[in-house]
Amino acid sequence: MSWLSRHAASIEALAAMATAALALAALIGVKIQLDEADRLQRQQSAREAFRAHLALAATLPDFAAPADECALLHSDRGGAYSAFVDHLLYSAEQMLSVSEGWETSFLDLFEPHRAYLCSDESQGGETEETAALLARFRASACAEIPACD
């Protein structure tokens, strides 16, 4: 009897274990690749949302820095202005969920819309990060200026 014949069962068991280990490693590798692809897609989506908001701000400067946001809100363009600010909040939600360090930038972008963001008509944040950022903004900014009513 040869060595292979005597140890065939052990060799088969080792081969089955090696196959299972390789299959598990492949599954883990696929999971890592899918997670990374998802992360990259969310980052790209966030950047595109922010770029879209910047393009809106460039084409609608009276919305980006309104002289009187309360008057604008109660004008016939109020819905469009509200949608503009909602798009800013959407951009913030997207960016804050994928990247750190954007809080100060968005707080600065919120400033021209202070009266609206402090009003009851304003949206809350859809994500924890945006809700926390809006709460911080409102705590510091809303006591100083009356809200739109």
Side-chain angles (χ1 to χ4, degrees), residues 56-83:
L56 276 176
T59 58
L60 299 166
D62 52 330
F63 284 4
D68 183 351
E69 61 260 46
C70 292
L72 181 58
L73 187 61
H74 293 99
S75 73
D76 60 342
R77 296 175 51 186
Y81 173 67
S82 177

PDB file of all heavy atoms in Angstrom, residues 56-83:
ATOM      1  N   LEU A  56     -26.724  75.733  -8.666  1.00  0.00           N
ATOM      2  CA  LEU A  56     -27.974  76.452  -8.397  1.00  0.00           C
ATOM      3  C   LEU A  56     -27.692  77.816  -7.773  1.00  0.00           C
ATOM      4  O   LEU A  56     -28.298  78.815  -8.144  1.00  0.00           O
ATOM      5  CB  LEU A  56     -28.860  75.652  -7.444  1.00  0.00           C
ATOM      6  CG  LEU A  56     -29.753  74.587  -8.022  1.00  0.00           C
ATOM      7  CD1 LEU A  56     -30.464  73.839  -6.903  1.00  0.00           C
ATOM      8  CD2 LEU A  56     -30.755  75.183  -8.980  1.00  0.00           C
ATOM      9  N   ALA A  57     -26.782  77.831  -6.811  1.00  0.00           N
ATOM     10  CA  ALA A  57     -26.450  79.084  -6.135  1.00  0.00           C
ATOM     11  C   ALA A  57     -25.858  80.092  -7.110  1.00  0.00           C
ATOM     12  O   ALA A  57     -26.120  81.294  -7.009  1.00  0.00           O
ATOM     13  CB  ALA A  57     -25.481  78.823  -4.981  1.00  0.00           C
ATOM     14  N   ALA A  58     -25.080  79.610  -8.069  1.00  0.00           N
ATOM     15  CA  ALA A  58     -24.482  80.518  -9.054  1.00  0.00           C
ATOM     16  C   ALA A  58     -25.535  81.073 -10.006  1.00  0.00           C
ATOM     17  O   ALA A  58     -25.438  82.226 -10.438  1.00  0.00           O
ATOM     18  CB  ALA A  58     -23.391  79.794  -9.835  1.00  0.00           C
ATOM     19  N   THR A  59     -26.531  80.269 -10.326  1.00  0.00           N
ATOM     20  CA  THR A  59     -27.560  80.733 -11.255  1.00  0.00           C
ATOM     21  C   THR A  59     -28.703  81.466 -10.550  1.00  0.00           C
ATOM     22  O   THR A  59     -29.449  82.187 -11.214  1.00  0.00           O
ATOM     23  CB  THR A  59     -28.149  79.560 -12.067  1.00  0.00           C
ATOM     24  OG1 THR A  59     -28.695  78.604 -11.165  1.00  0.00           O
ATOM     25  CG2 THR A  59     -27.091  78.928 -12.942  1.00  0.00           C
ATOM     26  N   LEU A  60     -28.821  81.297  -9.243  1.00  0.00           N
ATOM     27  CA  LEU A  60     -29.873  81.967  -8.472  1.00  0.00           C
ATOM     28  C   LEU A  60     -29.265  82.731  -7.295  1.00  0.00           C
ATOM     29  O   LEU A  60     -29.503  82.405  -6.132  1.00  0.00           O
ATOM     30  CB  LEU A  60     -30.888  80.938  -7.948  1.00  0.00           C
ATOM     31  CG  LEU A  60     -31.633  80.136  -8.999  1.00  0.00           C
ATOM     32  CD1 LEU A  60     -32.337  78.948  -8.367  1.00  0.00           C
ATOM     33  CD2 LEU A  60     -32.620  81.034  -9.728  1.00  0.00           C
ATOM     34  N   PRO A  61     -28.486  83.776  -7.576  1.00  0.00           N
ATOM     35  CA  PRO A  61     -27.808  84.474  -6.481  1.00  0.00           C
ATOM     36  C   PRO A  61     -28.777  85.123  -5.493  1.00  0.00           C
ATOM     37  O   PRO A  61     -28.444  85.258  -4.316  1.00  0.00           O
ATOM     38  CB  PRO A  61     -26.950  85.519  -7.193  1.00  0.00           C
ATOM     39  CG  PRO A  61     -27.558  85.668  -8.545  1.00  0.00           C
ATOM     40  CD  PRO A  61     -28.193  84.356  -8.874  1.00  0.00           C
ATOM     41  N   ASP A  62     -29.980  85.489  -5.936  1.00  0.00           N
ATOM     42  CA  ASP A  62     -30.939  86.075  -4.998  1.00  0.00           C
ATOM     43  C   ASP A  62     -31.495  85.025  -4.041  1.00  0.00           C
ATOM     44  O   ASP A  62     -32.022  85.364  -2.979  1.00  0.00           O
ATOM     45  CB  ASP A  62     -32.073  86.792  -5.734  1.00  0.00           C
ATOM     46  CG  ASP A  62     -32.742  85.921  -6.782  1.00  0.00           C
ATOM     47  OD1 ASP A  62     -32.065  85.053  -7.350  1.00  0.00           O
ATOM     48  OD2 ASP A  62     -33.951  86.117  -7.029  1.00  0.00           O
ATOM     49  N   PHE A  63     -31.374  83.740  -4.373  1.00  0.00           N
ATOM     50  CA  PHE A  63     -31.726  82.677  -3.437  1.00  0.00           C
ATOM     51  C   PHE A  63     -30.531  82.321  -2.554  1.00  0.00           C
ATOM     52  O   PHE A  63     -30.690  82.012  -1.389  1.00  0.00           O
ATOM     53  CB  PHE A  63     -32.179  81.419  -4.179  1.00  0.00           C
ATOM     54  CG  PHE A  63     -33.560  81.479  -4.750  1.00  0.00           C
ATOM     55  CD1 PHE A  63     -34.342  82.624  -4.685  1.00  0.00           C
ATOM     56  CD2 PHE A  63     -34.096  80.375  -5.365  1.00  0.00           C
ATOM     57  CE1 PHE A  63     -35.614  82.662  -5.222  1.00  0.00           C
ATOM     58  CE2 PHE A  63     -35.373  80.388  -5.907  1.00  0.00           C
ATOM     59  CZ  PHE A  63     -36.136  81.534  -5.830  1.00  0.00           C
ATOM     60  N   ALA A  64     -29.331  82.356  -3.120  1.00  0.00           N
ATOM     61  CA  ALA A  64     -28.134  81.979  -2.375  1.00  0.00           C
ATOM     62  C   ALA A  64     -27.827  82.974  -1.266  1.00  0.00           C
ATOM     63  O   ALA A  64     -27.376  82.585  -0.184  1.00  0.00           O
ATOM     64  CB  ALA A  64     -26.944  81.861  -3.321  1.00  0.00           C
ATOM     65  N   ALA A  65     -28.073  84.244  -1.523  1.00  0.00           N
ATOM     66  CA  ALA A  65     -27.829  85.294  -0.524  1.00  0.00           C
ATOM     67  C   ALA A  65     -28.985  86.285  -0.588  1.00  0.00           C
ATOM     68  O   ALA A  65     -28.831  87.400  -1.088  1.00  0.00           O
ATOM     69  CB  ALA A  65     -26.499  85.978  -0.780  1.00  0.00           C
ATOM     70  N   PRO A  66     -30.147  85.893  -0.087  1.00  0.00           N
ATOM     71  CA  PRO A  66     -31.312  86.773  -0.199  1.00  0.00           C
ATOM     72  C   PRO A  66     -31.172  88.016   0.672  1.00  0.00           C
ATOM     73  O   PRO A  66     -30.616  87.961   1.761  1.00  0.00           O
ATOM     74  CB  PRO A  66     -32.462  85.896   0.280  1.00  0.00           C
ATOM     75  CG  PRO A  66     -31.833  84.855   1.129  1.00  0.00           C
ATOM     76  CD  PRO A  66     -30.452  84.647   0.598  1.00  0.00           C
ATOM     77  N   ALA A  67     -31.672  89.131   0.148  1.00  0.00           N
ATOM     78  CA  ALA A  67     -31.662  90.375   0.930  1.00  0.00           C
ATOM     79  C   ALA A  67     -32.630  90.263   2.098  1.00  0.00           C
ATOM     80  O   ALA A  67     -32.344  90.730   3.202  1.00  0.00           O
ATOM     81  CB  ALA A  67     -32.025  91.551   0.031  1.00  0.00           C
ATOM     82  N   ASP A  68     -33.786  89.650   1.873  1.00  0.00           N
ATOM     83  CA  ASP A  68     -34.791  89.462   2.924  1.00  0.00           C
ATOM     84  C   ASP A  68     -35.453  88.115   2.676  1.00  0.00           C
ATOM     85  O   ASP A  68     -36.379  88.001   1.881  1.00  0.00           O
ATOM     86  CB  ASP A  68     -35.816  90.602   2.879  1.00  0.00           C
ATOM     87  CG  ASP A  68     -36.851  90.502   3.981  1.00  0.00           C
ATOM     88  OD1 ASP A  68     -36.891  89.461   4.691  1.00  0.00           O
ATOM     89  OD2 ASP A  68     -37.637  91.448   4.122  1.00  0.00           O
ATOM     90  N   GLU A  69     -34.950  87.088   3.368  1.00  0.00           N
ATOM     91  CA  GLU A  69     -35.472  85.752   3.097  1.00  0.00           C
ATOM     92  C   GLU A  69     -36.930  85.584   3.508  1.00  0.00           C
ATOM     93  O   GLU A  69     -37.667  84.814   2.893  1.00  0.00           O
ATOM     94  CB  GLU A  69     -34.599  84.647   3.703  1.00  0.00           C
ATOM     95  CG  GLU A  69     -34.461  84.676   5.184  1.00  0.00           C
ATOM     96  CD  GLU A  69     -33.178  85.291   5.672  1.00  0.00           C
ATOM     97  OE1 GLU A  69     -32.776  86.347   5.186  1.00  0.00           O
ATOM     98  OE2 GLU A  69     -32.580  84.700   6.575  1.00  0.00           O
ATOM     99  N   CYS A  70     -37.393  86.326   4.501  1.00  0.00           N
ATOM    100  CA  CYS A  70     -38.801  86.234   4.897  1.00  0.00           C
ATOM    101  C   CYS A  70     -39.703  86.778   3.788  1.00  0.00           C
ATOM    102  O   CYS A  70     -40.720  86.168   3.455  1.00  0.00           O
ATOM    103  CB  CYS A  70     -39.038  86.984   6.203  1.00  0.00           C
ATOM    104  SG  CYS A  70     -38.234  86.203   7.623  1.00  0.00           S
ATOM    105  N   ALA A  71     -39.330  87.929   3.224  1.00  0.00           N
ATOM    106  CA  ALA A  71     -40.124  88.490   2.123  1.00  0.00           C
ATOM    107  C   ALA A  71     -40.077  87.563   0.917  1.00  0.00           C
ATOM    108  O   ALA A  71     -41.094  87.345   0.255  1.00  0.00           O
ATOM    109  CB  ALA A  71     -39.597  89.876   1.749  1.00  0.00           C
ATOM    110  N   LEU A  72     -38.903  87.006   0.644  1.00  0.00           N
ATOM    111  CA  LEU A  72     -38.765  86.067  -0.471  1.00  0.00           C
ATOM    112  C   LEU A  72     -39.626  84.833  -0.234  1.00  0.00           C
ATOM    113  O   LEU A  72     -40.308  84.357  -1.133  1.00  0.00           O
ATOM    114  CB  LEU A  72     -37.297  85.679  -0.650  1.00  0.00           C
ATOM    115  CG  LEU A  72     -36.947  84.728  -1.779  1.00  0.00           C
ATOM    116  CD1 LEU A  72     -37.383  85.280  -3.128  1.00  0.00           C
ATOM    117  CD2 LEU A  72     -35.459  84.435  -1.784  1.00  0.00           C
ATOM    118  N   LEU A  73     -39.626  84.335   0.991  1.00  0.00           N
ATOM    119  CA  LEU A  73     -40.393  83.142   1.327  1.00  0.00           C
ATOM    120  C   LEU A  73     -41.888  83.361   1.157  1.00  0.00           C
ATOM    121  O   LEU A  73     -42.613  82.458   0.754  1.00  0.00           O
ATOM    122  CB  LEU A  73     -40.075  82.716   2.761  1.00  0.00           C
ATOM    123  CG  LEU A  73     -40.639  81.399   3.242  1.00  0.00           C
ATOM    124  CD1 LEU A  73     -40.105  80.259   2.390  1.00  0.00           C
ATOM    125  CD2 LEU A  73     -40.288  81.169   4.687  1.00  0.00           C
ATOM    126  N   HIS A  74     -42.351  84.576   1.438  1.00  0.00           N
ATOM    127  CA  HIS A  74     -43.778  84.869   1.335  1.00  0.00           C
ATOM    128  C   HIS A  74     -44.168  85.478  -0.013  1.00  0.00           C
ATOM    129  O   HIS A  74     -45.303  85.900  -0.188  1.00  0.00           O
ATOM    130  CB  HIS A  74     -44.217  85.771   2.497  1.00  0.00           C
ATOM    131  CG  HIS A  74     -44.127  85.054   3.811  1.00  0.00           C
ATOM    132  ND1 HIS A  74     -43.056  85.213   4.658  1.00  0.00           N
ATOM    133  CD2 HIS A  74     -44.946  84.160   4.389  1.00  0.00           C
ATOM    134  CE1 HIS A  74     -43.234  84.442   5.723  1.00  0.00           C
ATOM    135  NE2 HIS A  74     -44.379  83.792   5.584  1.00  0.00           N
ATOM    136  N   SER A  75     -43.247  85.500  -0.951  1.00  0.00           N
ATOM    137  CA  SER A  75     -43.544  86.008  -2.295  1.00  0.00           C
ATOM    138  C   SER A  75     -44.011  84.858  -3.180  1.00  0.00           C
ATOM    139  O   SER A  75     -44.097  83.709  -2.735  1.00  0.00           O
ATOM    140  CB  SER A  75     -42.300  86.668  -2.894  1.00  0.00           C
ATOM    141  OG  SER A  75     -41.349  85.682  -3.266  1.00  0.00           O
ATOM    142  N   ASP A  76     -44.273  85.168  -4.438  1.00  0.00           N
ATOM    143  CA  ASP A  76     -44.669  84.120  -5.375  1.00  0.00           C
ATOM    144  C   ASP A  76     -43.514  83.173  -5.692  1.00  0.00           C
ATOM    145  O   ASP A  76     -43.713  82.120  -6.285  1.00  0.00           O
ATOM    146  CB  ASP A  76     -45.243  84.726  -6.655  1.00  0.00           C
ATOM    147  CG  ASP A  76     -44.255  85.626  -7.385  1.00  0.00           C
ATOM    148  OD1 ASP A  76     -43.254  86.062  -6.772  1.00  0.00           O
ATOM    149  OD2 ASP A  76     -44.484  85.907  -8.575  1.00  0.00           O
ATOM    150  N   ARG A  77     -42.308  83.524  -5.288  1.00  0.00           N
ATOM    151  CA  ARG A  77     -41.129  82.669  -5.487  1.00  0.00           C
ATOM    152  C   ARG A  77     -40.772  81.896  -4.214  1.00  0.00           C
ATOM    153  O   ARG A  77     -39.729  81.271  -4.124  1.00  0.00           O
ATOM    154  CB  ARG A  77     -39.946  83.514  -5.935  1.00  0.00           C
ATOM    155  CG  ARG A  77     -40.211  84.162  -7.293  1.00  0.00           C
ATOM    156  CD  ARG A  77     -39.131  85.089  -7.721  1.00  0.00           C
ATOM    157  NE  ARG A  77     -37.820  84.439  -7.622  1.00  0.00           N
ATOM    158  CZ  ARG A  77     -36.674  85.042  -7.829  1.00  0.00           C
ATOM    159  NH1 ARG A  77     -36.658  86.306  -8.173  1.00  0.00           N
ATOM    160  NH2 ARG A  77     -35.542  84.402  -7.709  1.00  0.00           N
ATOM    161  N   GLY A  78     -41.659  81.956  -3.218  1.00  0.00           N
ATOM    162  CA  GLY A  78     -41.398  81.310  -1.931  1.00  0.00           C
ATOM    163  C   GLY A  78     -41.189  79.809  -2.028  1.00  0.00           C
ATOM    164  O   GLY A  78     -40.323  79.251  -1.361  1.00  0.00           O
ATOM    165  N   GLY A  79     -41.980  79.154  -2.851  1.00  0.00           N
ATOM    166  CA  GLY A  79     -41.814  77.710  -3.021  1.00  0.00           C
ATOM    167  C   GLY A  79     -40.469  77.354  -3.618  1.00  0.00           C
ATOM    168  O   GLY A  79     -39.829  76.386  -3.192  1.00  0.00           O
ATOM    169  N   ALA A  80     -40.047  78.136  -4.596  1.00  0.00           N
ATOM    170  CA  ALA A  80     -38.741  77.882  -5.220  1.00  0.00           C
ATOM    171  C   ALA A  80     -37.611  78.133  -4.222  1.00  0.00           C
ATOM    172  O   ALA A  80     -36.633  77.376  -4.173  1.00  0.00           O
ATOM    173  CB  ALA A  80     -38.572  78.760  -6.456  1.00  0.00           C
ATOM    174  N   TYR A  81     -37.759  79.195  -3.412  1.00  0.00           N
ATOM    175  CA  TYR A  81     -36.736  79.481  -2.408  1.00  0.00           C
ATOM    176  C   TYR A  81     -36.686  78.364  -1.362  1.00  0.00           C
ATOM    177  O   TYR A  81     -35.608  77.904  -0.981  1.00  0.00           O
ATOM    178  CB  TYR A  81     -36.990  80.830  -1.739  1.00  0.00           C
ATOM    179  CG  TYR A  81     -36.059  81.093  -0.585  1.00  0.00           C
ATOM    180  CD1 TYR A  81     -34.698  81.271  -0.800  1.00  0.00           C
ATOM    181  CD2 TYR A  81     -36.518  81.141   0.729  1.00  0.00           C
ATOM    182  CE1 TYR A  81     -33.823  81.485   0.250  1.00  0.00           C
ATOM    183  CE2 TYR A  81     -35.659  81.363   1.786  1.00  0.00           C
ATOM    184  CZ  TYR A  81     -34.316  81.526   1.542  1.00  0.00           C
ATOM    185  OH  TYR A  81     -33.446  81.732   2.589  1.00  0.00           O
ATOM    186  N   SER A  82     -37.842  77.915  -0.930  1.00  0.00           N
ATOM    187  CA  SER A  82     -37.901  76.820   0.038  1.00  0.00           C
ATOM    188  C   SER A  82     -37.236  75.565  -0.535  1.00  0.00           C
ATOM    189  O   SER A  82     -36.481  74.875   0.164  1.00  0.00           O
ATOM    190  CB  SER A  82     -39.355  76.539   0.409  1.00  0.00           C
ATOM    191  OG  SER A  82     -39.441  75.457   1.284  1.00  0.00           O
ATOM    192  N   ALA A  83     -37.491  75.274  -1.804  1.00  0.00           N
ATOM    193  CA  ALA A  83     -36.861  74.122  -2.457  1.00  0.00           C
ATOM    194  C   ALA A  83     -35.346  74.307  -2.552  1.00  0.00           C
ATOM    195  O   ALA A  83     -34.583  73.344  -2.402  1.00  0.00           O
ATOM    196  CB  ALA A  83     -37.458  73.913  -3.844  1.00  0.00           C
TER     197      ALA A  83
END
